[in-house]
Amino acid sequence: MATTHTAHPTQAADLPAIRQISQADLNWALAQGWQDFSAKRGDLIVVGLLYPLICFVAVIAALNAPLLPLLFPLVAGLTIAGPAAASGFYELARRRAAGLESSWWHFLDPLNGRSRMPIAVLTIGLGGLFVAWLIVAYLIYAATFGITAPMRIDDLFGRVFTTREGWEMILIGNAVGLVFAIVTLVFSIVSFPMVVDRPVDASVAAMTSYRAVSANKLVIASWGLRIVALLVLGLIPAAIGLAVVLPWLGYATWHLYTRLVVR
């Protein structure tokens, strides 16, 4: 008797085709993202949520000597959580593109509907990366300064930027941080927008994200460089510009997803 083989949904229907994109698509995504930001700025959300979090992390690190060496990794590592925090911006951009109502209360829609569980799973994955980054950052600090050399808040910048150990820590830390940034980009560039857009589980979304990056390595690398450049600009001065940069990148990432993945 013949046996009928049915394709598993994660091997067929749940794995969309991937497009090859160009630099022009990156420019288009940023332009569309800026239009979304002009209509739904989002800077108040960033100011209300991000800055208190950064201040809280900084105060805790400053008041706790063992955590002080992790001040920079803690603040820098917050960008790992960016794709998860931007889920609301993906939803607003999706609704605007579809001609649907896009009031601010829709910002929380991904956390209240079918996207909640896959977003939670993907966020846990990013959380694991964040913890791994902090562990590695502390090991780098211990290897350069030594774990028996406590650092005080009043000499933090001096010891980091004016000593050989400090520059070794900066160079090694940035190189390792680049690896974590690449992993985060590969893991999240498509996965979070995808679970906001369609009913798929986290593994399918992560697999699609990996396939999208694999098919567009050089272009995605250019996108990563643009993100870094915009984040650096946003940090000057006193991270004020992040209130504009983060929502803009959130909106733009949604539009880039629509070019990368056949919907």
Side-chain angles (χ1 to χ4, degrees):
M1 186 169 110
T3 302
T4 301
H5 296 280
T6 302
H8 192 277
T10 59
Q11 297 177 344
D14 288 342
L15 290 180
I18 300 297
R19 297 188 184 95
Q20 288 191 325
I21 62 173
S22 67
Q23 297 291 331
D25 294 298
L26 304 187
N27 297 336
W28 175 84
L30 286 171
Q32 292 296 310
W34 186 255
Q35 290 184 19
D36 287 336
F37 177 78
S38 299
K40 292 289 180 182
R41 290 169 49 190
D43 48 343
L44 295 179
I45 289 180
V46 174
V47 170
L49 297 179
L50 178 66
Y51 291 126
L53 180 58
I54 291 177
C55 292
F56 174 76
V57 169
V59 169
I60 292 298
L63 296 178
N64 191 323
L67 289 180
L68 187 56
L70 293 179
L71 175 59
F72 293 130
L74 277 168
V75 174
L78 291 177
T79 58
I80 294 178
S87 296
F89 294 121
Y90 304 151
E91 174 65 12
L92 292 178
R94 183 191 72 82
R95 297 184 70 88
R96 288 195 72 243
L100 302 174
E101 180 187 6
S102 55
S103 299
W104 276 115
W105 56 76
H106 293 295
F107 186 87
L108 297 177
D109 281 2
L111 301 181
N112 299 322
R114 56 170 171 74
S115 302
R116 177 171 52 190
M117 184 55 66
I119 287 177
V121 173
L122 292 172
T123 301
I124 290 172
L126 290 182
L129 276 177
F130 180 65
V131 171
W133 158 243
L134 292 182
I135 293 173
V136 173
Y138 190 81
L139 292 175
I140 294 172
Y141 165 76
T144 52
F145 280 102
I147 58 176
T148 59
M151 189 176 293
R152 304 187 311 273
I153 188 66
D154 57 347
D155 68 352
L156 173 63
F157 290 94
R159 292 184 62 185
V160 169
F161 292 106
T162 64
T163 65
R164 178 180 61 83
E165 293 85 357
W167 281 107
E168 286 179 354
M169 184 177 70
I170 290 172
L171 293 175
I172 298 172
N174 282 337
V176 175
L178 176 61
V179 175
F180 277 92
I182 292 172
V183 173
T184 301
L185 182 64
V186 172
F187 174 74
S188 64
I189 189 171
V190 161
S191 59
F192 281 93
M194 187 173 180
V195 298
V196 170
D197 185 41
R198 60 180 78 184
V200 298
D201 60 35
S203 62
V204 169
M207 188 184 308
T208 304
S209 192
Y210 173 79
R211 290 171 57 236
V213 174
S214 297
N216 297 276
K217 295 183 182 68
L218 293 179
V219 179
I220 297 301
S222 176
W223 178 252
L225 291 175
R226 295 186 187 207
I227 291 176
V228 170
L230 288 172
L231 289 176
V232 169
L233 289 175
L235 289 170
I236 305 172
I240 294 174
L242 291 179
V244 173
V245 170
L246 293 180
W248 180 18
L249 286 176
Y251 290 132
T253 299
W254 164 263
H255 292 289
L256 184 62
Y257 155 74
T258 66
R259 286 292 173 96
L260 281 167
V261 179
V262 176
R263 300 172 67 200

